[in-house]
Amino acid sequence: MLVAAPLLAIPVLVYNLFILVGAEGRGDSAALAALADPVFSVPMASGAYWTVGMGEILLFFSLILLFVELLKSTNSQRVAIVNHALSMILFVVCLVEFLLLRGFATSVFFLIMTMVLLDVLAGFIVTIVAARRDFDMGPR
């Protein structure tokens, strides 16, 4: 049944741990600052530096997991229905956190929450299209 778990729960959990535990226990403001602090920078051909923070790394990881979730949504087995339901629950949890908890009203978390919503929508749309194709009786 672990296959049914939405993969986007991983970045949500990482963000939750980061904010709720805080950056080394220093609170959510320090955790938010740590998300924005540069982790590394890459010199570009233009002479500019591309700086990447922990928030951007988490978003990149989330995009990869969204891609895998979209591939999983094409599966029409029973486990896919459970995955869609768990993804919907995850979206509701993310929405409540975004609206009610102080450290979650950030662009990074909003984008992660949007990815979870896209996973929910894509899963239901793919399931509906596949069901319509399976039950199509031919030309009308």
Side-chain angles (χ1 to χ4, degrees), residues 76-137:
S76 62
Q77 296 176 349
R78 271 190 211 166
V79 73
I81 303 300
V82 174
N83 179 275
H84 301 330
L86 292 175
S87 293
M88 180 61 118
I89 292 169
L90 180 63
F91 173 70
V92 170
V93 168
C94 288
L95 185 61
V96 168
E97 286 178 337
F98 180 71
L99 294 174
L100 300 179
L101 298 178
R102 183 178 210 78
F104 292 85
T106 65
S107 294
V108 171
F109 192 73
F110 175 77
L111 291 173
I112 292 172
M113 181 181 68
T114 303
M115 288 180 215
V116 173
L117 176 62
L118 290 174
D119 175 36
V120 170
L121 293 174
F124 286 130
I125 289 169
V126 166
T127 302
I128 290 169
V129 168
R132 183 180 290 170
R133 186 185 64 231
D134 290 344
F135 290 113
D136 195 11
M137 298 297 183

Side-chain angles (χ1 to χ4, degrees), residues 17-35 37:
L17 289 174
F18 204 80
I19 295 298
L20 296 177
V21 173
E24 291 120 25
R26 295 177 292 170
D28 65 346
S29 61
L32 292 174
L35 276 174
D37 286 344

Side-chain angles (χ1 to χ4, degrees), residues 38-62:
V39 175
F40 63 88
S41 67
V42 177
M44 305 302 286
S46 65
Y49 283 87
W50 173 42
T51 58
V52 179
M54 187 54 107
E56 288 89 5
I57 292 171
L58 186 58
L59 286 174
F60 177 71
F61 180 64
S62 302

